[in-house]
Amino acid sequence: MPPAARTAAARWPAVRPWLGVAARLGLAAVWLVAGATKVGDLAASGRAVNAYEVLPYDVATVVGAALPFVELALGVLLLLGLATRLTAGVSAALLVVFVAGIASAWARGLNIDCGCFGSGGQLAAGQSPNYLPEILRDLGFLALAGFLLIWPRTPVSIDGWLAGAPVEDDDE
């Protein structure tokens, strides 16, 4: 192994927990902003979910009304570092659903705004969707969730406080 690779490998145990903090807080910010932008108009959130045309109208309305609160809950849990692996798993699953929904809308030629950080729904005449950047963005968020699934223990977290052991001693 070249000396540079040994040096990088030796630094990983010290750097990894702080990368986890960055991933945890970054994903928390995403969920908090996404939920906060939708919670003021739950009817619009329902219309955004309905625009994907994959659920019956009544189900889409309920999902749209519940989604902002789920996003806010995920954001708070990640911010606190509580149940991090579980929260990362739920985040990953939700992000996979979002990517699949956007890809499905794109493949079916729908002309919608994803509604990820706002009201979403049908785009006005002359507007065109930006599906590829939305998918790439969500895949980046999925990578953050994946990191936390593998290494959920981070400094400055309730999980760490409850475990009572330094993160560096953790074999996760």
Side-chain angles (χ1 to χ4, degrees):
M1 182 182 293
R6 278 195 301 270
T7 304
R11 278 193 224 130
W12 177 248
V15 172
R16 191 222 19 98
W18 297 104
L19 288 175
V21 170
R24 186 170 55 84
L25 296 179
L27 197 53
V30 167
W31 289 130
L32 290 170
V33 170
T37 58
K38 289 182 265 211
V39 79
D41 190 353
L42 298 179
S45 184
R47 285 190 302 274
V49 172
N50 192 51
Y52 285 90
E53 299 176 5
V54 293
L55 297 171
Y57 178 80
D58 291 338
V59 175
T61 301
V62 171
V63 168
L67 189 58
F69 298 104
V70 171
E71 292 170 335
L72 289 170
L74 291 171
V76 168
L77 288 170
L78 286 167
L79 186 65
L80 297 173
L82 180 60
T84 303
R85 179 172 276 148
L86 174 63
T87 305
V90 172
S91 295
L94 200 51
L95 287 161
V96 167
V97 169
F98 291 166
V99 168
I102 295 167
S104 170
W106 191 5
R108 292 180 292 135
L110 299 179
N111 195 27
I112 63 172
D113 176 359
C114 75
C116 300
F117 294 97
S119 58
Q122 296 294 326
L123 290 174
Q127 288 184 315
S128 58
N130 295 312
Y131 294 129
L132 183 59
E134 292 169 352
I135 290 171
L136 294 174
R137 177 202 60 213
D138 286 354
L139 289 174
F141 298 154
L142 183 58
L144 296 177
F147 187 96
L148 293 171
L149 273 168
I150 297 168
W151 297 291
R153 290 273 311 279
T154 61
V156 194
S157 68
I158 292 177
D159 287 343
W161 177 74
L162 291 172
V167 174
E168 292 81 19
D169 293 344
D170 194 11
D171 289 334
E172 292 182 307

